Amino acid sequence: MSCCQGGPCESEKTLKSVEEYYGKVLSTTKDLKTSACTAAGRPHRLIREYISKVPKGVREKFYGCGAPLPLGIEGLRVLDLGSGSGRDCYVCAKLVGEGGEVVGVDMTKEQLEVADRFKEEYCKDVLGYKQCNLRFVEGYIEKLPSCIEDNSFNIITSNCVINLSPDKPAVLREAYRVLAPGGEFYFSDVYCDRRLPKTVQNHEILWGECIAGSLYIEDFIREAHKAGFTDPRELSRSEIEVTDPELSEICGNARFYSITYRLFKLPGLLETKCEDYGQFAVYKGTIPGNTHSYTLDDHHTLVTNKPFLVCGNTAAMLGEGNVSWLSKHFTITGDRSVHYGLFDCSPASSSQPAKQSCDPAGGSCC
């Protein structure tokens, strides 16, 4: 059924175009015309090890721009938006262990068939599980299937998919809805340093290549706030190269980036400014692959057993009140009974790295 009288609306045309491109036009990652839909940066050594064990048929159909796969998620429920061939879901099946669960949602039948084909053999023969903890569901990330319930997932991942959506605010709202309190939307996507002109936005190949639908970074921050994600944290960033000369000419001077963001659902705990309550955090060194330190974002790396001064928002993300999924890995000292004003984010602050900003509304935090 069309959402518009007399024929399909623009959103439906976009979804159909994306489905066609990823289901029929692309055979493997070698068919791509930009570096957008290939992993940016080198994943953690554990992630690389687990990826190598994913069936080849799944890996060959993977189109992503990062490795948004958090460690330390054993026993948790993970939802992957736009799961495609399922590579990240297969890795997460290992990360959550037999007691966890992973669900992938995708609209492309061809990709879902690939994802489903190997899951039983992988879980039982490769991982040694008695039961398969992987499930794939056909549906749209703008309006998740009814089987995806409110407040039901601890972690949501997504890999270079939201830019393909014609309704990005709806995707963010749905992610916030189905995340459990203390949960996190941990994902990579393509962003731009400006708002793109219609000549780029309407280019069919650039849509499929994850370029035309990329959001201006500041607009993404605004939409995240509206959805309920008060303090988006940037974990990593790398620039994307448009290798095709014709496509590069169409894009002009616009610069594109693969960015991994962390969005926490912590109702009542996150503020629009980074506030100082005299709190500090200590990392226990208990997250696999992160024995000596843990990086929360691009300007918070906590050394194991070393006290680290934090603002109220960071304290909440790391475990204040035992709400965050990360809480078992950190000790937070101090509460919010005394307020000392805005958190000192200046380079002169001895316990904080230099790259900082006190304003989550500007797309960063303390």
Side-chain angles (χ1 to χ4, degrees), residues 86 170 273 313-314:
K273 296 282 186 178
N313 284 0
T314 299

Side-chain angles (χ1 to χ4, degrees), residues 328-346:
K328 67 181 180 180
H329 301 292
F330 293 86
T331 298
I332 306 299
T333 299
D335 54 29
R336 304 194 186 198
S337 59
V338 179
H339 181 230
Y340 299 97
L342 281 177
F343 190 80
D344 181 8
C345 302
S346 67

Side-chain angles (χ1 to χ4, degrees), residues 70-89:
L71 295 165
I73 59 174
E74 186 174 0
L76 301 185
R77 298 193 75 220
V78 176
L79 173 67
D80 188 37
L81 301 181
S83 52
S85 68
R87 191 208 70 170
D88 288 353
C89 290

Side-chain angles (χ1 to χ4, degrees), residues 82-323:
S83 52
S85 68
R87 191 208 70 170
D88 288 353
C89 290
Y90 277 69
V91 175
C92 282
K94 167 65 175 177
L95 293 173
V96 301
E98 194 166 9
E101 182 185 8
V102 181
V103 179
V105 175
D106 202 272
M107 67 176 182
T108 309
K109 288 183 174 62
E110 291 87 352
Q111 291 281 66
L112 287 169
E113 288 171 3
V114 173
D116 269 324
R117 190 179 308 154
F118 305 97
K119 65 180 184 182
E120 294 288 338
E121 179 182 356
Y122 172 78
C123 286
K124 294 178 181 178
D125 296 345
V126 177
L127 300 183
Y129 296 166
K130 293 180 180 179
Q131 299 285 338
C132 178
N133 65 351
L134 267 175
R135 180 161 57 98
F136 296 97
V137 180
E138 183 177 354
Y140 295 98
I141 61 176
E142 299 83 2
K143 186 174 176 58
L144 292 168
S146 57
C147 62
I148 309 297
E149 299 177 348
D150 294 2
N151 306 308
S152 58
F153 287 89
N154 309 107
I155 301 289
I156 297 178
T157 60
S158 184
N159 201 332
C160 200
V161 170
I162 299 176
N163 69 86
L164 297 170
S165 170
D167 191 352
K168 297 168 183 65
V171 178
L172 291 170
R173 290 193 299 270
E174 282 290 86
Y176 191 86
R177 177 181 67 81
V178 303
L179 268 180
E184 178 185 357
F185 190 9
Y186 187 114
F187 67 106
S188 295
D189 221 301
V190 179
Y191 300 89
C192 190
D193 67 347
R194 66 199 67 196
R195 293 171 181 144
L196 293 169
K198 292 295 183 183
T199 52
V200 178
Q201 292 183 37
N202 295 332
H203 196 283
E204 190 167 313
I205 293 178
L206 286 173
W207 256 107
E209 293 279 332
C210 304
I211 294 295
S214 57
L215 265 181
Y216 170 45
I217 295 169
E218 298 304 324
D219 284 342
F220 162 73
I221 299 296
R222 295 181 182 102
E223 293 300 335
H225 290 164
K226 291 177 186 177
F229 297 110
T230 307
D231 187 359
R233 299 291 180 97
E234 182 178 322
L235 178 61
S236 62
R237 173 189 301 218
S238 60
E239 190 158 2
I240 289 168
E241 181 182 3
V242 181
T243 54
D244 183 90
E246 182 180 343
L247 297 181
S248 178
E249 180 65 24
I250 294 170
C251 292
N253 293 325
R255 298 178 69 178
F256 302 92
Y257 303 91
S258 167
I259 302 178
T260 298
Y261 276 108
R262 306 187 69 169
L263 309 183
F264 287 83
K265 181 176 179 177
L266 294 162
L269 289 175
L270 298 182
E271 301 179 89
T272 58
K273 296 282 186 178
C274 290
E275 304 292 348
D276 188 353
Y277 298 99
Q279 297 164 294
F280 65 89
V282 175
Y283 172 51
K284 300 177 183 179
T286 51
I287 294 176
N290 293 268
T291 303
H292 303 292
S293 64
Y294 180 78
T295 298
L296 174 68
D297 54 38
D298 62 359
H299 52 282
H300 286 89
T301 295
L302 288 81
V303 176
T304 300
N305 294 327
K306 181 180 180 180
F308 190 96
L309 291 174
V310 292
C311 69
N313 284 0
T314 299
M317 293 174 189
L318 296 179
E320 179 187 12
N322 295 317
V323 179

